[in-house]
Amino acid sequence: MPAIRLETKRVEKPWGRNTLWPGFGDVPAGGAPVGEIWFEAPGDGDPELLVKYLFTSEKLSIQVHPDDAAARARGYPRGKDEAWVVLAADPHATIAIGTLDVMTSDELRASALDGSIENKVDWRAVKAGDTYYSPAGTVHAIGAGLTLIEIQQNVDLTYRLYDYGSARELHLEDGVAVSEPVPYVAAFVPMEAAAGRTILADGPAFVMERWTKSGEGTLKVQPGRPIWLVPLSGSGTVDGQTLEAGGVWMVDEAVPLALGEGAEVVIAYAKGGVIRDIWS
């Protein structure tokens, strides 16, 4: 089937929540909080990207991910760039991305050991609609009170640098080795590619877009570059299947796509640059 609705996997996390997001059932009374919902392709495939929803009630650890070369040296298929689309944010919610000043590896390690790293990363206020692309090597953390979509390279590989005194394992040697502890500078500013089509990120690992438009046409897929569709609101169909919030579809061939009035969709596809004539 050219368009596949991906399977969901609920991931319990101590920093998660019991009340989730429209399209997902809340956690039953007495259940463990859910921090992430993963959308996975059936079978044994290894797609380039992974889509998640995140629900936070506490700060996540200050962490970093390796790039492709460093990850492959450890036997993983790829590194981990990731990007976030904020859907909802409590007042004063923040994301840490990059460090306030350039740091040496020794300074980064020492600050992780003594806890001062918490005040040396750049905590930025965020609100619904904000987006960030976080390349591998970026020191970062997601704060409390956020609901967001995360699109990432498909690998479960995180090095924790600091976790606020919890008993969870840290990965200082590996984490410091792959970190670029410098102030964050967005490599790409979101831009309007066409009416109702905004390119949110054009990163080295993938492209992320947000569509707020309606119409009917053909979603065009380049060979070897599947497209992930993440409906946020409104109505539509892809390859005859009804699109709805809380679902994610992966499309690997050209298919008919129809979006109704008020539709809003996040889409992503792996590296190779923006596909200019993607839907017509």
Side-chain angles (χ1 to χ4, degrees), residues 210-252:
R210 191 169 192 157
W211 292 2
T212 53
K213 58 181 182 177
S214 61
E216 298 182 8
T218 299
L219 184 65
K220 299 176 182 178
V221 180
Q222 294 181 345
R225 299 183 73 191
I227 294 172
W228 281 256
L229 294 173
V230 188
L232 302 182
S233 63
S235 62
T237 61
V238 60
D239 196 25
Q241 303 174 50
T242 300
L243 295 172
E244 57 186 3
V248 175
W249 281 257
M250 186 174 71
V251 182
D252 62 7

Side-chain angles (χ1 to χ4, degrees), residues 52-119:
K52 300 176 180 178
Y53 276 71
L54 271 66
F55 316 96
T56 71
S57 62
E58 302 173 5
K59 289 180 181 177
L60 278 63
S61 62
I62 297 174
Q63 57 189 241
V64 68
H65 308 296
D67 62 15
D68 288 348
R72 287 169 181 155
R74 292 301 187 90
Y76 292 87
R78 59 185 65 87
K80 189 175 175 183
D81 283 19
E82 59 189 8
W84 308 301
V85 177
V86 178
L87 299 179
D90 288 351
H92 313 299
T94 56
I95 284 176
I97 187 161
T99 55
L100 291 171
D101 299 296
V102 176
M103 303 173 70
T104 67
S105 293
D106 287 344
E107 289 170 338
L108 179 64
R109 181 184 291 103
S111 69
L113 287 169
D114 67 19
S116 63
I117 190 174
E118 187 174 0
N119 298 317

Side-chain angles (χ1 to χ4, degrees), residues 13-15 36 59-66 80 108-109 112-113 117 138-141 156-179:
K13 295 286 186 180
W15 45 258
E36 301 177 350
K59 289 180 181 177
L60 278 63
S61 62
I62 297 174
Q63 57 189 241
V64 68
H65 308 296
K80 189 175 175 183
L108 179 64
R109 181 184 291 103
L113 287 169
I117 190 174
T138 303
V139 178
H140 65 277
D156 191 12
L157 181 55
T158 296
Y159 296 143
R160 283 189 292 274
L161 297 170
Y162 179 71
D163 201 26
Y164 318 102
S166 82
R168 291 205 302 169
E169 180 186 7
L170 300 179
H171 315 95
L172 278 185
E173 295 308 311
D174 287 334
V176 169
V178 303
S179 292

Side-chain angles (χ1 to χ4, degrees), residues 170-208:
L170 300 179
H171 315 95
L172 278 185
E173 295 308 311
D174 287 334
V176 169
V178 303
S179 292
E180 296 183 13
V182 298
Y184 176 80
V185 177
F188 183 84
V189 177
M191 60 174 288
E192 194 84 6
R197 180 189 178 193
T198 302
I199 313 299
L200 301 177
D202 183 5
F206 58 88
V207 176
M208 182 172 71

Side-chain angles (χ1 to χ4, degrees), residues 130-154:
D130 286 350
T131 61
Y132 283 94
Y133 186 101
S134 177
T138 303
V139 178
H140 65 277
I142 295 172
L146 288 169
T147 300
L148 55 84
I149 293 169
E150 178 176 287
I151 296 174
Q152 60 162 88
Q153 288 181 276
N154 184 20

